[in-house]
Amino acid sequence: MRRNPTCKGVPAALPADYDMGIIRDRVARKGNLLDGWEGLGLKAYLMRERSTDGSPVNQYAPFYLWETLEGMNTFLWGGAFQGIPDDFGRPSVRQWTGLAYEEGGAVGSPVRKAVRRRQRVLDGVRLGEVAEDAVHEAGRLAAQDGAVLAAAAVDTSNWELVHFSLWERDAPKAEGDVFDVLHLSSPGRNRLPRGRRW
């Protein structure tokens, strides 16, 4: 089976007066549909609500770590993804190349929060050093008390890093946008390669 170090995010900003109960109900009904998806490392069903945890917006932002390219493509093009465009309009799907993945001491615990921090890769910096720093940060986050896992990835089309972590507690020890985790599908989590990805 070919492994693909790919992260995918589907951020959907919603109106300020949007009833976020609709998202909660949708995930409660459909979240388990990917619990056994072939080629999926994990999918975190993420939501943040305006004026909660410092969020300026209402947002539904599922985050995926794919074990295989075939699994991701089957999801996107085989019909399973079509429910999101049908219900909300077609969102932008961001893809990053994985740099690192680490599991924390709370792996296997129920997940409550996620933190996503995006960071521009500035002109003039040495790319290898930036990547090594991202790998180190994934390890540092995973070592924090309450961490379930941490990942780092890069979008080279606009030179942006993303640091992503899952937490068993309501007060994660990470900086960035804080999301509620409504459901976690993780059929291939134990097969995701650990550590640096090059």
Side-chain angles (χ1 to χ4, degrees), residues 10-11 18 33 61 63 83 109 112 122 136 140 149:
V10 185
Y18 191 82
L33 296 178
F63 189 89
S109 300
R112 299 180 58 83
L122 301 176
H136 175 75
R140 187 192 71 77
L149 61 85

Side-chain angles (χ1 to χ4, degrees), residues 105-113 145-148 166-172:
V107 70
S109 300
V111 179
R112 299 180 58 83
K113 296 288 182 177
D145 186 39
V148 174
L166 294 177
W167 301 84
E168 69 170 350
R169 57 182 52 181
D170 285 330

Side-chain angles (χ1 to χ4, degrees), residues 109-159:
S109 300
V111 179
R112 299 180 58 83
K113 296 288 182 177
V115 179
R116 181 198 64 198
R117 180 168 56 93
R118 293 163 44 187
Q119 171 187 349
R120 297 283 305 156
V121 178
L122 301 176
D123 289 337
V125 300
R126 298 192 62 79
L127 298 177
E129 292 173 7
V130 169
E132 287 290 352
D133 288 347
V135 170
H136 175 75
E137 178 65 2
R140 187 192 71 77
L141 286 170
Q144 298 297 311
D145 186 39
V148 174
L149 61 85
V154 64
D155 175 354
T156 55
S157 69
N158 64 5
W159 294 105

Side-chain angles (χ1 to χ4, degrees), residues 6-179:
T6 300
C7 303
K8 182 168 76 78
V10 185
L14 300 165
D17 61 350
Y18 191 82
D19 178 3
M20 296 305 283
I22 294 169
I23 300 297
R24 288 185 186 89
D25 291 344
R26 177 187 177 84
V27 173
R29 284 191 331 272
K30 298 184 177 190
N32 65 338
L33 296 178
L34 294 184
D35 287 355
W37 193 269
E38 185 68 31
L40 175 64
L42 66 89
K43 176 182 179 179
Y45 294 76
L46 308 179
M47 182 191 85
R48 60 183 180 152
E49 201 162 359
R50 190 169 182 245
S51 302
T52 302
D53 289 326
S55 176
V57 297
N58 288 327
Q59 189 174 39
Y60 175 54
F63 189 89
Y64 306 74
L65 292 175
W66 289 97
E67 179 192 1
T68 68
L69 182 60
E70 292 82 3
M72 181 178 74
N73 284 340
T74 300
F75 176 72
L76 283 173
W77 311 117
F81 178 70
Q82 189 61 47
I84 292 175
D86 288 348
D87 292 348
F88 299 105
R90 188 183 324 149
S92 171
V93 176
R94 302 277 315 269
Q95 294 185 26
W96 298 271
T97 300
L99 295 174
Y101 171 76
E102 298 290 350
E103 293 190 344
V107 70
S109 300
V111 179
R112 299 180 58 83
K113 296 288 182 177
V115 179
R116 181 198 64 198
R117 180 168 56 93
R118 293 163 44 187
Q119 171 187 349
R120 297 283 305 156
V121 178
L122 301 176
D123 289 337
V125 300
R126 298 192 62 79
L127 298 177
E129 292 173 7
V130 169
E132 287 290 352
D133 288 347
V135 170
H136 175 75
E137 178 65 2
R140 187 192 71 77
L141 286 170
Q144 298 297 311
D145 186 39
V148 174
L149 61 85
V154 64
D155 175 354
T156 55
S157 69
N158 64 5
W159 294 105
E160 181 181 66
L161 288 171
V162 64
H163 301 276
F164 178 76
S165 52
L166 294 177
W167 301 84
E168 69 170 350
R169 57 182 52 181
D170 285 330
K173 295 182 177 181
E175 294 181 17
D177 298 325
V178 178
F179 294 85

Side-chain angles (χ1 to χ4, degrees), residues 175-195:
E175 294 181 17
D177 298 325
V178 178
F179 294 85
D180 290 326
V181 179
L182 303 178
H183 182 75
L184 182 68
S185 295
S186 55
R189 180 196 52 77
N190 61 343
R191 292 186 300 272
L192 290 171
R194 310 302 193 273

